């Protein structure tokens, strides 16, 4: 998906800049951005949980509040048992996507300024996340649904439709997230290019809302798909 392009093309079209590499390997700007996000999240979680207290305060309290809110959403869809098993992965999904969406709102980022861009504004990144969801669907189906999953998915006249659905689902997940974040950053870049500094700020507020919504929708759909795979007896 990545081709080395002139810097101006990468900046104008939102493509990741190739920072280093050759014909066999490369390091792009969005890869570095994702590594930084992962490192920052790991550090924050380590600091917030290294001295766990029964009555949390400060960072531990913030982290526990976020986990409880997200856990409640997963429990509503998957139930308590499956939420304990798959909830941590889904919550990590949400936080990672949310941070990736918001990184494009920081100074020196965006479509028209050289530097880092939101990783989720790259179709390769969102496609990778969508593939993880679909691979998880089959893994969970074989682990939890067992014969009910196999019978429903494979041993049925609806097999062609099921296979088509497994193609459209990741496409929908990847393109929805990519399109919204890419379009949002493009609009902000255009506004800052033609309007005085403070006039595009309302779009920033909307971008904060949209970034959270897109992370929530992606994670919610992943949760629904995994619940469907693990609970075939109930469908």
């Amino acid at each position: 998906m990545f081709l080395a392009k002139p810097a101006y093309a990468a900046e104008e079209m939102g493509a990741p800049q190739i920072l280093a590499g050759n014909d066999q390997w490369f390091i792009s700007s969005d890869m570095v951005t994702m590594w930084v996000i992962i490192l920052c999240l790991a550090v924050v979680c380590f600091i917030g949980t290294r001295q766990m207290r029964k009555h949390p305060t400060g960072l531990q309290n913030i982290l526990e509040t976020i986990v409880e809110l997200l856990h409640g959403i997963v429990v509503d869809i998957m139930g308590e048992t499956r939420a304990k098993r798959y909830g941590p992965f889904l919550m990590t999904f949400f936080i990672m996507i949310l941070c990736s969406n918001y990184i494009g709102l920081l100074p020196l980022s965006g479509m028209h300024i050289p530097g880092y861009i939101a990783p989720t504004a790259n179709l390769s990144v969102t496609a990778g996340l969508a593939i993880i969801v679909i691979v998880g669907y089959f893994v969970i189906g074989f682990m939890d649904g067992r014969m009910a999953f196999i019978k429903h998915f494979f041993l049925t006249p609806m097999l062609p439709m099921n296979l088509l659905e497994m193609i459209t689902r990741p496409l929908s997940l990847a393109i929805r997230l990519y399109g919204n974040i890419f379009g949002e950053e493009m609009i902000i870049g255009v506004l800052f290019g033609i309007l005085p500094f403070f006039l595009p700020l309302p779009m920033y507020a909307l971008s904060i809302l949209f970034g959270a919504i897109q992370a929530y929708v992606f994670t919610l759909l992943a949760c629904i798909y995994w619940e469907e795979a693990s609970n075939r007896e109930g469908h």
Side-chain angles (χ1 to χ4, degrees):
M1 294 293 295
F2 303 111
L3 295 175
K5 297 181 179 181
Y8 71 90
E11 296 160 15
E12 291 177 359
M13 299 306 295
Q17 296 173 288
I18 304 302
L19 304 179
N22 52 38
D23 294 337
Q24 284 73 42
W25 64 274
F26 65 88
I27 298 176
S28 62
S29 56
D30 58 336
M31 291 170 62
V32 173
T33 303
M34 292 196 73
W35 293 340
V36 171
I37 292 173
I38 293 171
L39 178 62
C40 290
L41 289 175
V43 170
V44 170
C45 291
F46 174 76
I47 294 175
T49 59
R50 64 177 177 173
Q51 293 180 340
M52 299 288 286
R53 299 177 180 176
K54 185 176 181 180
H55 301 287
T57 59
L59 183 57
Q60 180 187 342
N61 188 39
I62 295 174
L63 293 177
E64 288 192 8
T65 301
I66 294 173
V67 169
E68 288 176 0
L69 289 173
L70 296 176
H71 182 73
I73 295 173
V74 177
V75 168
D76 289 340
I77 298 174
M78 307 189 77
E80 188 67 38
T81 301
R82 294 187 179 90
K84 288 182 179 179
R85 185 181 302 175
Y86 307 120
F89 192 98
L90 291 167
M91 287 186 277
T92 303
F93 237 28
F94 174 83
I95 295 173
M96 182 65 191
I97 294 174
L98 183 68
C99 293
S100 296
N101 293 347
Y102 283 169
I103 200 73
L105 302 178
L106 297 178
L108 301 181
S109 66
M111 315 300 278
H112 62 301
I113 301 177
Y116 48 90
I117 63 174
T120 43
N122 184 338
L123 185 57
S124 294
V125 173
T126 60
L129 296 173
I131 290 172
I132 292 174
V133 172
I134 297 304
V135 171
Y137 173 86
F138 284 100
V139 172
I140 292 172
F142 285 118
M143 288 174 56
D144 291 355
R146 296 181 177 87
M147 290 306 300
F149 176 81
I150 295 173
K151 180 179 178 181
H152 178 90
F153 193 92
F154 295 101
L155 305 180
T156 173
M158 297 297 291
L159 177 59
M161 295 299 296
N162 290 339
L163 294 176
L164 179 61
E165 188 177 38
M166 289 303 103
I167 296 175
T168 57
R169 279 185 176 183
L171 282 176
S172 175
L173 287 172
I175 293 175
R176 179 190 295 109
L177 181 58
Y178 158 75
N180 279 279
I181 303 304
F182 179 86
E184 166 196 304
E185 292 216 333
M186 181 67 74
I187 292 173
I188 290 177
V190 171
L191 288 177
F192 269 105
I194 62 178
L195 296 176
F197 179 76
F198 291 105
L199 292 182
L201 292 183
M203 186 60 193
Y204 257 64
L206 289 176
S207 297
I208 294 174
L209 176 62
F210 291 157
I213 290 174
Q214 291 306 314
Y216 174 77
V217 169
F218 192 101
T219 308
L220 180 66
L221 290 174
C223 187
I224 292 173
Y225 295 159
W226 287 8
E227 162 61 13
E228 176 186 323
S230 63
N231 192 27
R232 278 300 185 182
E233 293 289 354
H235 290 268

